[in-house]
Amino acid sequence: MPHLEIRELFLSFGGIKALIDVSLSVEKGIIHAIIGPNGAGKTALLNCINGVYRPDTGRIEFGGHDLTRMKPDEIARLGVGRTFQNVELFRNMTVLQNLLLGRHNHFRSGLFRGGVHGYRNPEEVDHRKKVEEVIDFLEVERWRKAYVKNLPYGVQKRVELGRALCMDPEILLLDEPTSGMNVEETEDIARFILDIHEEIGTSIVLIEHDMGVVMDISHMVTVLDFGNKISEGPPHVVQNDPKVIQAYLGEEQERERKTA
Amino acid sequence: MAVTRYCTRTYLQDQRIFPSHSAKISLTLFVIFLVLLPAFAGQYLLLVASLCGIATISVLGLNILTGYTGQLSLGHAAFMAIGGYTVALTGEHFHLPFELNLILAGVVASIAGLVVAIPSLRLKGLYLIITTMAFQFIVEYVLLHWESLTEGERGIPIHAYSLFQLNLDDRSQQFYVVLVLAIAATILTKNLAMSRTGRAFVAVRDHDIAAEIIGVNLAKHKIMSFIASSFMAGIGGCLYAYVYQRITPEIFTFMVSIEYVAMIIVGGMGTVVGGILGACFMTLLPQFLGLIFGPLSSAYPFMSSRLGAINIMIYGMIIIFFLLFEPEGLFGIWIRIKNYWKPWPFKY
C-alpha cells in the first residue's frame, strides 16, 4: 500500500511549466530518491507536498488526506517532516530551541499556561527528554547550547535534520541533505539516513545529486527532467535507462551526432 | 570553579532562568531597593518612577509583538488610549472598583488588538506598519471628535479610587501598585518567551515559511501576539489614567507610539531586560535633559524656545546612534560588560 501517492500533478508559474503530469507513489518505510538535472522540478515537487506551492491540478494523498487543499502547518501536523536545500534554521536560536520548535505540535500548553508556568511547565521537561534522544542520535551533544548562526555548515544541516526528526514524522522529505559537504560529512549524513530508516522506520523521500549516495542507500529512484517523469525503478535499473543517460549526458550525444 | 557552578543534574535545573545564585541575589536586592524607594524619595521622583514602571509594562507588550513576533507596530499608543479611556468611562459612569477596571482595560484593548490583527494577517513589513499607523490616527481622531463620549481635548477627569485599603491618590501607594504590576508583567513576559508559544513567536519572526513547515500556525500566533501585546498596552494606559488623574488624547499621540518603538530599539529587541532598560532610559532621558537645559534656559531666556527643540533633536540622535552602533541596544552593552567581568581578575 503506498504511503504517499501523487497523481497527475501539474504545476506552472506563469508560462513556465514546472511539473507536467507527475505521478509518484512512495511505499511505506522505504527510501525513495528523486533525481534529475538542475531545474527539473524536484524541489517544486517537495514544495507541493508541503503545501508551500499549490499545484494547478492533481492530487497528493497522504494517510487518507488530500494535501493539495491543506495549509503547510496542517500538513506538518499529519506527520510530514522536511529539510531544505539551503539550511532554513532559526539562526538566532540555540540548537536546543530549534529542536524544541520541532516538537511544537506535540505540546498542549498555549499562551496562558506558557506565560504563567514558563520553564517550570512539566511539558518542557518531557519534550526536552525527547529532544535529547534526537541530539544523542545525531551526535550533536557538543553544540546543544550553541547558536545556530555560529555552527559550521555541515552541523547546521544535521541540526535541520534533527528538527525534522523531532516532529516524529511519518514521512521525511529531505532536499539535498548532502549539498555543500565534504566526503566525510556526506558519509555521515548517508549513515544517519540509513539509521533513521532502520531504527525509526520512517519513509524517506530524498532529493540528491550525489549519485554515489543515491545508488547506495535508496530503494527506489524517480528521475525528473524538465518537469516530466522520465524513469522510475530500483537504482540499478534507472542507472542503465537510456532516457536517463540522455537527460544527464544529452549534450554529449548531440555533439557526437554532429561530428558523425 | 566555573565548571561546578553551572553543573546541573536535571533538565529542569538546566532550563532555569538564572543559572547562578549571584544573579538571583542581585535581583532580589534591586527589588528590595525599589520597595524601600518611597521611604526616601520625594513626590516628584516617585511620579517619575511610576512612569518608568508604566512604560515598562507597555513596552514589554510591544516587545512581544515587535521584538519577538517581528510585527512592527506604530499603533501601540492607540491600544493604550483604548485601555485608558475604558477606565475613564467605566470608572465615571459605573463606578467600578480599580481591580475590575484594570482587567477591563486590558480586555477591551485586546479586543481592539484582535480587530487590528485579523486584517493584518496577510500584511508584512511596510504594509503592516502603515495599517497600525492608520489605526493610531483613527483612534486619535475618534478621541478628539466624539465629544459626547470622550469630551474631546478637555479629556475626562478621574476621581479618587482605592484598591483594597490602598488610596491611589497617594504617590507612594500608586508607585507600589505600578511596581507590583510591572514585576508581574516582567515575569509573565519572561515565562512566555521561554515557553512553546514564545519560541513559536520568534520562529514566525525569523523565518515564517520554515515556521509554517514545522507546524506553527502563522495566523494563530500572530493573533495571539497581537492580543497579548494590546492587553499589556491596555493595562499601561489604564495606569497612566490613574497616575495623571485626567485622561486626554494628548497622552496617546502618534509621537508616543514612535517613542515606544524607540524604547525597544534602544533597549534591545526581543529581550525582556532590554525592554525594561529601554523603558526606563527613554522615560528618564527628558528628565536629565530638563536638568541640563532648565538652568541654561533660565540663564539665557532668549534661547529657551530653541532648547525645547534641542530636546527632540537629542532624542532622534540617540535612536540613530543605537541603530548604527549598537543594534542590540542597552541589553547588548550590558551583556558585553558582563562578559568582560566574568573571568575577572584574569584576562581570559
Side-chain angles (χ1 to χ4, degrees):
Chain A
M1 187 201 129
H3 200 194
L4 173 79
E5 179 139 40
I6 299 169
R7 263 182 277 150
E8 290 148 26
L9 204 67
F10 285 84
L11 174 74
S12 59
F13 302 106
I16 300 162
K17 296 195 162 47
L19 293 172
I20 305 156
D21 196 14
V22 174
S23 297
L24 184 70
S25 67
V26 179
E27 301 292 323
K28 203 174 178 80
I30 70 159
I31 301 177
H32 193 128
I34 299 174
I35 61 170
N38 288 331
K42 307 180 295 291
T43 302
L45 182 63
L46 285 204
N47 281 344
C48 283
I49 300 173
N50 263 135
V52 179
Y53 293 160
R54 196 130 296 189
D56 303 339
T57 57
R59 256 178 94 80
I60 302 172
E61 254 175 57
F62 176 73
H65 300 269
D66 182 11
L67 301 190
T68 51
R69 314 218 170 282
M70 295 171 81
K71 285 187 350 193
D73 57 290
E74 293 170 328
I75 293 171
R77 232 160 285 149
L78 288 178
V80 179
R82 164 88 189 261
T83 71
F84 295 86
Q85 186 172 357
N86 308 312
V87 180
E88 310 280 10
L89 286 166
F90 306 108
R91 295 170 54 78
N92 296 318
M93 290 195 219
T94 63
V95 170
L96 260 179
Q97 286 172 322
N98 266 284
L99 295 182
L100 276 169
L101 261 168
R103 293 210 59 77
H104 181 81
N105 278 325
H106 297 274
F107 276 83
R108 296 187 164 276
S109 59
L111 181 71
F112 189 73
R113 279 241 317 261
V116 175
H117 293 290
Y119 75 95
R120 276 180 224 83
N121 189 345
E123 261 190 340
E124 292 279 331
V125 175
D126 294 344
H127 290 294
R128 175 73 187 272
K129 278 181 192 146
K130 180 74 196 171
V131 164
E132 290 290 337
E133 278 172 29
V134 172
I135 288 177
D136 204 36
F137 184 81
L138 293 177
E139 296 162 20
V140 288
E141 294 94 340
R142 272 180 62 192
W143 296 286
R144 201 184 267 125
K145 292 203 172 169
Y147 284 93
V148 167
K149 60 185 169 194
N150 299 331
L151 293 180
Y153 185 73
V155 179
Q156 289 190 11
K157 280 247 157 189
R158 230 191 286 172
V159 172
E160 200 188 13
L161 180 60
R163 189 180 66 187
L165 273 183
C166 279
M167 295 165 67
D168 278 339
E170 290 187 27
I171 189 162
L172 260 178
L173 313 175
L174 308 180
D175 196 346
E176 297 197 27
T178 69
S179 70
M181 289 184 159
N182 62 29
V183 180
E184 202 181 325
E185 286 169 329
T186 305
E187 277 173 10
D188 279 347
I189 287 284
R191 187 166 49 82
F192 286 132
I193 294 173
L194 282 176
D195 282 352
I196 293 167
H197 168 68
E198 274 160 27
E199 289 181 24
I200 309 173
T202 319
S203 319
I204 294 169
V205 177
L206 175 74
I207 291 181
E208 189 51 69
H209 278 301
D210 188 325
M211 284 308 137
V213 173
V214 173
M215 294 304 149
D216 283 349
I217 68 172
S218 57
H219 305 118
M220 274 297 263
V221 179
T222 298
V223 189
L224 292 181
D225 189 24
F226 290 116
N228 293 295
K229 186 169 105 173
I230 57 172
S231 179
E232 190 170 44
H236 60 274
V237 176
V238 168
Q239 204 171 12
N240 299 318
D241 189 327
K243 272 188 183 164
V244 178
I245 296 170
Q246 198 185 351
Y248 270 90
L249 306 172
E251 283 177 23
E252 202 72 23
Q253 283 192 334
E254 215 141 86
R255 204 174 301 148
E256 273 168 28
R257 217 182 323 133
K258 271 181 196 159
T259 50
Chain B
M1 213 5 224
V3 175
T4 51
R5 190 157 45 134
Y6 291 110
C7 175
T8 52
R9 286 168 195 287
T10 64
Y11 291 141
L12 194 64
Q13 269 180 348
D14 194 44
Q15 287 163 0
R16 278 184 313 200
I17 301 176
F18 306 112
S20 67
H21 284 294
S22 58
K24 252 185 216 168
I25 291 167
S26 52
L27 199 69
T28 317
L29 287 178
F30 181 62
V31 172
I32 290 172
F33 164 74
L34 286 180
V35 169
L36 295 179
L37 190 65
F40 51 83
Q43 292 289 302
Y44 185 67
L45 195 63
L46 281 178
L47 172 67
V48 173
S50 301
L51 291 181
C52 279
I54 295 170
T56 299
I57 296 170
S58 300
V59 97
L60 285 174
L62 185 64
N63 214 351
I64 292 175
L65 184 65
T66 304
Y68 286 104
T69 323
Q71 311 293 307
L72 187 53
S73 159
L74 285 182
H76 205 60
F79 293 117
M80 293 172 68
I82 289 170
Y85 270 90
T86 307
V87 166
L89 294 173
T90 54
E92 292 312 294
H93 295 308
F94 307 114
H95 305 287
L96 294 179
F98 174 77
E99 50 282 22
L100 202 65
N101 257 340
L102 195 68
I103 295 169
L104 207 63
V107 170
V108 173
S110 53
I111 290 170
L114 182 71
V115 171
V116 179
I118 289 170
S120 305
L121 289 178
R122 293 182 165 271
L123 306 173
K124 273 188 200 172
L126 206 55
Y127 301 97
L128 180 69
I129 297 174
I130 299 289
T131 314
T132 51
M133 206 168 96
F135 178 69
Q136 165 79 39
F137 285 128
I138 292 167
V139 169
E140 254 181 67
Y141 187 85
V142 168
L143 292 183
L144 267 177
H145 295 280
W146 192 356
E147 295 207 0
S148 58
L149 190 73
T150 66
E151 312 222 353
E153 273 177 359
R154 270 165 301 147
I156 305 170
I158 288 162
H159 295 115
Y161 27 78
S162 59
L163 172 68
F164 306 119
Q165 299 302 315
L166 291 174
N167 176 14
L168 289 184
D169 270 349
D170 184 48
R171 285 271 177 246
S172 66
Q173 293 180 352
Q174 269 176 6
F175 172 73
Y176 280 128
V177 172
V178 171
L179 179 65
V180 168
L181 288 171
I183 290 174
T186 309
I187 294 173
L188 223 67
T189 316
K190 185 70 191 168
N191 276 340
L192 184 66
M194 294 178 82
S195 74
R196 168 214 195 199
T197 314
R199 278 192 300 267
F201 282 168
V202 179
V204 172
R205 176 192 74 189
D206 279 0
H207 208 308
D208 50 357
I209 292 178
E212 223 178 353
I213 281 186
I214 58 169
V216 175
N217 187 336
L218 289 187
K220 190 175 141 198
H221 281 86
K222 281 182 187 172
I223 289 178
M224 279 206 289
S225 151
F226 255 105
I227 288 178
S229 153
S230 46
F231 184 83
M232 286 166 83
I235 296 223
C238 162
L239 290 173
Y240 258 128
Y242 278 121
V243 168
Y244 282 132
Q245 303 192 347
R246 167 178 281 279
I247 192 158
T248 61
E250 277 157 44
I251 310 177
F252 308 109
T253 55
F254 181 57
M255 267 310 287
V256 177
S257 277
I258 292 186
E259 211 171 285
Y260 274 92
V261 174
M263 281 179 195
I264 56 173
I265 290 172
V266 167
M269 283 237 191
T271 57
V272 172
V273 176
I276 298 170
L277 289 176
C280 294
F281 183 84
M282 294 300 275
T283 315
L284 294 177
L285 185 67
Q287 309 298 330
F288 280 120
L289 291 180
L291 280 185
I292 298 168
F293 291 121
L296 256 182
S297 61
S298 54
Y300 305 99
F302 63 93
M303 276 180 67
S304 59
S305 61
R306 277 161 214 172
L307 286 172
I310 286 180
N311 262 357
I312 298 175
M313 253 173 66
I314 290 177
Y315 239 69
M317 270 162 66
I318 283 172
I319 295 172
I320 294 173
F321 170 82
F322 271 97
L323 281 177
L324 277 181
F325 300 109
E326 195 53 72
E328 285 173 17
L330 291 169
F331 180 71
I333 296 176
W334 163 244
I335 290 290
R336 219 174 303 141
I337 293 171
K338 227 167 73 174
N339 286 342
Y340 180 81
W341 286 107
K342 225 175 216 166
W344 192 83
F346 306 108
K347 266 267 174 198
Y348 51 86

